Each structure stands twice: as structure tokens, then as C-alpha cells.
Amino acid sequence: LRFPQKLWKMLESGKFQSIWWSEGGKCVAINKDLFEAEVLGREGQQVFHTQKIKSFMRQLNAYGFTKVQRNSHRSASLPEFLAEEAAASAHSQILYYYNPSFNRAHPWLLKTCKRR
């Protein structure tokens, strides 16, 4: 299977806790640290041909995925701002990637997901 099909199969399998659909199936969410251990660190049963997160991210970029920044709106009050910063740091290891041809609601678009 090509990279996009492997990624799709992985997301749909429900076997991995480090990667999931987000934003209503329009984005791929990846818990970076957990993904490195759970997927890239597998001995003997590698899903992708790499053990490095940077190589995996390069593959995402090569197939047209773009990193999505989370909402940067911040509260004006200091206590709310500090609470938001603490929550953001807890989620800083979660990466979000978007590709218009990679949408859970439109699986037929997967064939248009080509390497650049």
C-alpha cells in the first residue's frame, strides 16, 4: 500500500491510541510521543518504513498534508490566560495535519492523494 492508504487503514483500524481523526474527520491528530513509541518504535511489525517522527512528517508533507495550528485566541484576563497556557502545554505534543484529499467522510478522494 502507498503511504496515504496505510495512514487511512491505521486511522480506521482503531488499534492505535496515538493517531486519530479530528475536526469531524477532516484532520489527522497525532500524539507525537505516543506515536513514536506505539507506531514507529514497533519491532518487527513496522507500519511505515521509518522509525523517526521527522521522516514520517516529511512523508505527510510529500503527500500534500499541511500542519494545522490550533486556535491562537487568548483570553484577556491573566488567570484565564495562565489556565489556557497550562492546557496548551499539555496538548503541545499533539500535531494536526490536513489534506483536502484525505477526508473521512469522502473516502473516494483518497485516490487523488498523490505524492508531490
Side-chain angles (χ1 to χ4, degrees), residues 26-39:
K26 294 180 182 177
C27 289
V28 176
I30 303 166
N31 180 316
K32 184 181 168 200
D33 291 340
L34 186 56
F35 187 81
E36 286 180 294
E38 183 183 44
V39 178

Side-chain angles (χ1 to χ4, degrees), residues 20-98:
W20 62 93
W21 291 105
S22 73
E23 304 295 325
K26 294 180 182 177
C27 289
V28 176
I30 303 166
N31 180 316
K32 184 181 168 200
D33 291 340
L34 186 56
F35 187 81
E36 286 180 294
E38 183 183 44
V39 178
L40 302 178
R42 296 178 106 189
E43 294 292 325
Q45 343 174 11
Q46 287 183 321
V47 179
F48 301 102
H49 297 291
T50 185
Q51 294 179 326
K52 297 179 181 175
I53 191 74
K54 287 189 181 211
S55 296
F56 176 77
M57 290 189 292
R58 273 196 293 277
Q59 283 285 352
L60 287 169
N61 292 327
Y63 279 93
F65 285 84
T66 55
K67 191 172 180 182
V68 178
Q69 298 298 323
R70 303 313 300 154
N71 188 356
S72 60
H73 172 72
R74 297 284 191 233
S75 297
S77 75
L78 182 60
E80 287 178 18
F81 175 79
L82 293 174
E84 288 172 1
E85 284 298 306
S89 69
H91 293 286
S92 65
Q93 293 300 315
I94 299 178
L95 309 171
Y96 297 90
Y97 284 89
Y98 169 78

Side-chain angles (χ1 to χ4, degrees), residues 1-8 48 56 59-60 63 65:
L1 296 174
R2 292 178 333 146
F3 179 82
Q5 285 86 4
K6 287 180 186 179
L7 184 60
W8 185 282
F48 301 102
F56 176 77
Q59 283 285 352
L60 287 169
Y63 279 93
F65 285 84

